[in-house]
Amino acid sequence: MPHFVIDCSEQIIKLKSPQEIIQNVYNTAESTGLFLPEEIKVRINPFQYYTTGNTSDNFIHVFANIMQGRNTEQKANLSKQIVSELKAVFPEVPIISINIRDFEKATYCNKDNV
């Protein structure tokens, strides 16, 4: 925990390597001090087929799934930092966004909890 899943247009991984994009998001999440570095997970899903407002404009959207317990200010700061970093790396991409969802401790389970 946390999981950062990056959805993007396929062109994005032609502008920068998937590993570089993943590392940028990882480094930014780590820099907030909200998470243990060894628990941060980042994945990327490039899409060949999509529409953004009935266009084929490039896009990046990050789905951040984090364990409950961070306040709104911390989550807003995390969002702004990740979008700012991606905007700096991809100034030509018109759509860069993120949303954060909280996992409930009571319902979260992994193989270590079973």
Side-chain angles (χ1 to χ4, degrees):
M1 198 65 51
H3 297 271
F4 294 90
V5 181
I6 307 163
D7 283 358
C8 63
S9 51
E10 190 173 54
Q11 183 64 25
I12 298 300
I13 62 169
K14 295 177 183 171
L15 299 171
K16 300 285 181 187
S17 74
Q19 189 55 43
E20 185 176 354
I21 299 164
I22 288 167
Q23 195 64 53
N24 281 329
V25 170
Y26 176 93
N27 291 345
T28 305
E30 182 182 23
S31 76
T32 66
L34 295 174
F35 314 107
L36 295 173
E38 64 273 13
E39 293 183 354
I40 300 170
K41 298 161 185 72
V42 184
R43 297 182 290 281
I44 190 166
N45 295 311
F47 287 87
Q48 182 178 7
Y49 305 106
Y50 63 91
T51 184
T52 55
N54 209 29
T55 74
S56 57
D57 289 347
N58 286 319
F59 74 94
I60 301 170
H61 184 84
V62 181
F63 294 91
N65 299 290
I66 67 174
M67 188 61 72
Q68 68 184 53
R70 280 78 179 188
N71 64 38
T72 301
E73 183 179 330
Q74 290 170 317
K75 292 187 279 188
N77 182 55
L78 174 63
S79 292
K80 289 175 185 169
Q81 286 194 39
I82 288 177
V83 169
S84 293
E85 175 62 22
L86 291 171
K87 183 178 173 184
V89 174
F90 297 101
E92 70 282 5
V93 175
I95 302 166
I96 300 175
S97 55
I98 185 172
N99 69 292
I100 297 178
R101 299 181 281 208
D102 289 334
F103 280 102
E104 293 180 340
K105 283 186 180 190
T107 60
Y108 178 76
C109 183
N110 66 25
K111 71 177 192 168
D112 296 333
N113 303 88
V114 181

